[in-house]
Amino acid sequence: MNIMSLLNALPGAVAQGLIWGIMAIGVYITFRILDIADLTVDGSLMMIQGGSNVWVALLCAFLAGMLAGFATGLFHTFMGIPAILAGILTQLGLYSVNLKIMGKSNQAINVDKFDLLVSLRYIKNVAIYKNTILIVVVLIILLVAVLYWFFGTELGCSLRATGCNDKMARAQGINTDFNRVLGLMISNGLVAFSGALLGQYQGFSDINMGRGAIVIGLAGIIGEAIFGKIFRNFGLKLIAVAIGSIIYYFVLQIVIWFGIDTDLLKLLSALVVAIFLAIPTWKSRYFSKPIRKGENH
């Protein structure tokens, strides 16, 4: 095992972790804020095809993702389908939609042909405006700032209240169905935006690229589990989720470096995510001090 091969792979792991971090923030909105396990993300990740203008392509990906979230929201609220089944139905439909948009199951997005915002070739580029890691870091900071502002508004607070206690929110006159649809739209818009960046970074877009994306998105909650007590501010929690995605890719690189069969990566990923999701429960169940009777609260 050559330590230099691991070190050379780390910039790529950071770049991929940051790109997936945007997707993890989207998953965080539905999973933690709305308390919905949304499987639409496996399909909305794939809604990108190379265009002449990179910013237009990114905007189209975001809007397409929002439409996917809107479909899931209607299935759930208007048709009364449970959220997890609504996500599966949308994911299933998106496979055909994505295939129709792409034209074939795999599309090349060559950096020599298109003026891409991020690329694997730009990892070690010294030019600031072409450095992939720096560009994605700036995008995440801007994204977190916008989300922090939005969730501090009256509409954002009502959305958070819907996820916290929907019955109480309805009692206060909040339209919880509207908030669920809106939350799913924002979430899947971010996921599709991440997919657009990922397609550019890898230099291709594949119809199966989003398979298992929900697991990677949940892996971002690793950051929340690690930094939860330090990052109590909502904006910092979103940054912690992005950091969790980087940690996840670090772990994957170390696994590959140790020579473990890559066919087992999905299994290992599921186990790692399961462990980190279980940490809060284990803490409260096995490591918290029991409160004695008569003790002041």
Side-chain angles (χ1 to χ4, degrees):
M1 292 183 291
N2 187 355
I3 189 67
M4 289 305 299
S5 63
L6 177 62
L7 294 176
N8 288 331
L10 290 185
V14 173
Q16 273 196 290
L18 287 168
I19 291 172
W20 283 101
I22 297 175
M23 193 264 296
I25 291 173
V27 173
Y28 180 86
I29 290 174
T30 52
F31 186 70
R32 284 292 196 225
I33 296 178
L34 283 178
D35 196 24
I36 294 175
D38 178 31
L39 291 180
T40 314
V41 296
D42 279 25
S44 55
L45 179 74
M46 288 303 306
M47 302 194 76
I48 175 66
Q49 185 175 10
S52 58
N53 186 291
V54 65
W55 292 107
V56 172
L58 288 171
L59 177 61
C60 288
F62 181 78
L63 294 176
M66 291 190 75
L67 283 175
F70 180 71
T72 302
L74 287 184
F75 283 150
H76 177 48
T77 58
F78 180 70
M79 300 178 70
I81 300 172
I84 192 165
L85 293 179
I88 291 173
L89 288 174
T90 307
Q91 176 197 45
L92 184 65
L94 284 176
Y95 185 91
S96 296
V97 173
N98 290 333
L99 194 57
K100 197 69 177 176
I101 292 173
M102 293 170 65
K104 55 183 180 179
S105 61
N106 191 294
Q107 282 280 1
I109 309 173
N110 198 320
V111 69
D112 296 324
K113 186 178 179 181
F114 300 105
D115 184 21
L116 304 180
L117 184 65
V118 296
S119 172
L120 183 60
R121 296 192 197 176
Y122 298 160
I123 285 292
K124 297 181 180 179
N125 200 312
V126 292
I128 293 177
Y129 67 95
K130 283 290 186 182
N131 188 285
T132 294
I133 294 176
L134 184 60
I135 288 172
V136 182
V137 166
V138 171
L139 286 174
I140 288 178
I141 291 173
L142 291 174
L143 170 64
V144 169
V146 171
L147 289 175
Y148 183 78
W149 167 81
F150 171 74
F151 282 104
T153 63
E154 184 177 347
L155 178 59
C157 288
S158 70
L159 198 152
R160 294 170 72 176
T162 298
C164 183
N165 190 324
D166 62 334
K167 292 181 179 179
M168 181 62 72
R170 280 198 302 272
Q172 297 297 319
I174 295 174
N175 189 335
T176 56
D177 285 346
F178 172 82
N179 283 341
R180 286 194 183 94
V181 174
L182 178 61
L184 286 165
M185 289 176 68
I186 295 172
S187 171
N188 283 281
L190 294 176
V191 173
F193 185 82
S194 171
L197 290 173
L198 185 65
Q200 293 179 49
Y201 174 80
Q202 294 182 154
F204 70 92
S205 183
D206 186 86
I207 192 69
N208 293 311
M209 195 167 69
R211 187 167 294 171
I214 184 67
V215 176
I216 301 174
L218 291 174
I221 300 175
I222 292 173
E224 187 192 23
I226 296 174
F227 303 107
K229 290 188 176 180
I230 304 173
F231 294 171
R232 296 184 180 276
N233 179 275
F234 178 71
L236 293 178
K237 283 186 177 181
L238 295 179
I239 292 175
V241 170
I243 294 173
S245 294
I246 298 175
I247 295 172
Y248 170 79
Y249 267 92
F250 273 149
V251 172
L252 285 189
Q253 288 298 329
I254 293 172
V255 167
I256 294 171
W257 180 64
F258 274 114
I260 295 175
D261 188 355
T262 53
D263 290 342
L264 299 175
L265 283 181
K266 293 287 186 183
L267 175 61
L268 291 172
S269 300
L271 290 175
V272 169
V273 173
I275 290 170
F276 275 96
L277 289 176
I279 285 176
T281 302
W282 290 348
K283 280 183 178 178
S284 60
R285 186 175 298 174
Y286 303 115
F287 299 102
S288 297
K289 292 181 179 179
I291 300 175
R292 297 176 181 175
K293 291 183 178 180
E295 190 174 314
N296 291 330
H297 296 283

